[in-house]
Amino acid sequence: MDNDKKRPVIKIELSDADNAQEKLALWLLIFLWLATIIIWFTLPPTIPVHFNLKNEPDKWDDKAYIFVMPFIASVLYGLLGFVNKYPQSFNYIKPVTEENAERLYTSGTSLLRLIKLMIIIGFIVDTANDVIVAKSPAFHDTLLSVILQWVPVILIAGVLLKKLVFVKKAVE
């Protein structure tokens, strides 16, 4: 805490955009689960789950492994949703005061909401790539596979960097 001072505890009201982002994240998580369940029936009994530096599969597992991605996405969705209810415990660039608490908390919770959305999108793209490779192992050697693997990383990094610049300006 800021020099052992107690930070104000206030309820942050969600804007229409915040509510829309929450709903989108939830619907995308539901989509990830439904798509994974439907696709599971079409997968071969074993699927590649890891590739070495030569881009060759070096670990195979039962097709049920495909459920790891939606499970992790769900845990992160729940964890980030829980943490987002306590913005007074976040780390901030500036000391939190009664005057700036609402603005800082709003920026902080907005950033976590965006991170949650980007993580779910990343898991959807990664799961799609895993399914395509499981059905057609030669796909892993294509440029599209590489793009699918890096799109989530680049998308998340770009959006978060843009958001961090906006948050930094908001607290100045």
Side-chain angles (χ1 to χ4, degrees), residues 8-82:
V9 177
I10 56 175
K11 181 169 174 38
I12 301 299
E13 296 297 323
L14 298 182
S15 68
D16 289 343
D18 293 333
N19 281 318
Q21 198 172 32
E22 282 290 337
K23 287 177 184 173
L24 178 61
L26 178 60
W27 279 110
L28 287 175
L29 184 61
I30 291 168
F31 168 78
L32 176 59
W33 273 106
L34 291 176
T36 303
I37 290 166
I38 292 167
I39 289 168
W40 180 81
F41 291 103
T42 68
L43 291 174
T46 58
I47 59 173
V49 296
H50 191 268
F51 295 84
N52 63 22
L53 292 175
K54 294 180 183 177
N55 227 14
E56 301 162 337
D58 62 358
K59 183 178 178 190
W60 295 76
D61 209 327
D62 184 86
K63 69 181 184 177
Y65 186 87
I66 202 74
F67 290 105
V68 169
M69 294 294 192
F71 175 76
I72 292 171
S74 298
V75 169
L76 290 173
Y77 176 89
L79 182 63
L80 289 173
F82 175 77

Side-chain angles (χ1 to χ4, degrees), residues 8-155:
V9 177
I10 56 175
K11 181 169 174 38
I12 301 299
E13 296 297 323
L14 298 182
S15 68
D16 289 343
D18 293 333
N19 281 318
Q21 198 172 32
E22 282 290 337
K23 287 177 184 173
L24 178 61
L26 178 60
W27 279 110
L28 287 175
L29 184 61
I30 291 168
F31 168 78
L32 176 59
W33 273 106
L34 291 176
T36 303
I37 290 166
I38 292 167
I39 289 168
W40 180 81
F41 291 103
T42 68
L43 291 174
T46 58
I47 59 173
V49 296
H50 191 268
F51 295 84
N52 63 22
L53 292 175
K54 294 180 183 177
N55 227 14
E56 301 162 337
D58 62 358
K59 183 178 178 190
W60 295 76
D61 209 327
D62 184 86
K63 69 181 184 177
Y65 186 87
I66 202 74
F67 290 105
V68 169
M69 294 294 192
F71 175 76
I72 292 171
S74 298
V75 169
L76 290 173
Y77 176 89
L79 182 63
L80 289 173
F82 175 77
V83 168
N84 219 8
K85 293 179 186 221
Y86 303 97
Q88 67 274 9
S89 62
F90 297 178
N91 287 324
Y92 295 98
I93 297 170
K94 292 181 126 183
V96 178
T97 64
E98 292 286 339
E99 295 77 32
N100 69 4
E102 183 176 2
R103 186 180 41 145
L104 291 174
Y105 293 176
T106 300
S107 294
T109 57
S110 177
L111 181 60
L112 263 189
R113 202 171 292 106
L114 182 63
I115 290 170
K116 181 168 54 173
L117 180 61
M118 293 293 103
I119 286 172
I120 293 169
I121 291 171
F123 275 106
I124 289 171
V125 173
D126 195 42
T127 300
N129 188 57
D130 290 350
V131 167
I132 294 168
V133 170
K135 290 182 167 206
S136 176
F139 176 78
H140 194 269
D141 294 330
T142 68
L143 178 61
L144 182 56
S145 177
V146 173
I147 291 170
L148 280 177
Q149 290 174 28
W150 283 99
V151 159
V153 175
I154 293 167
L155 178 67

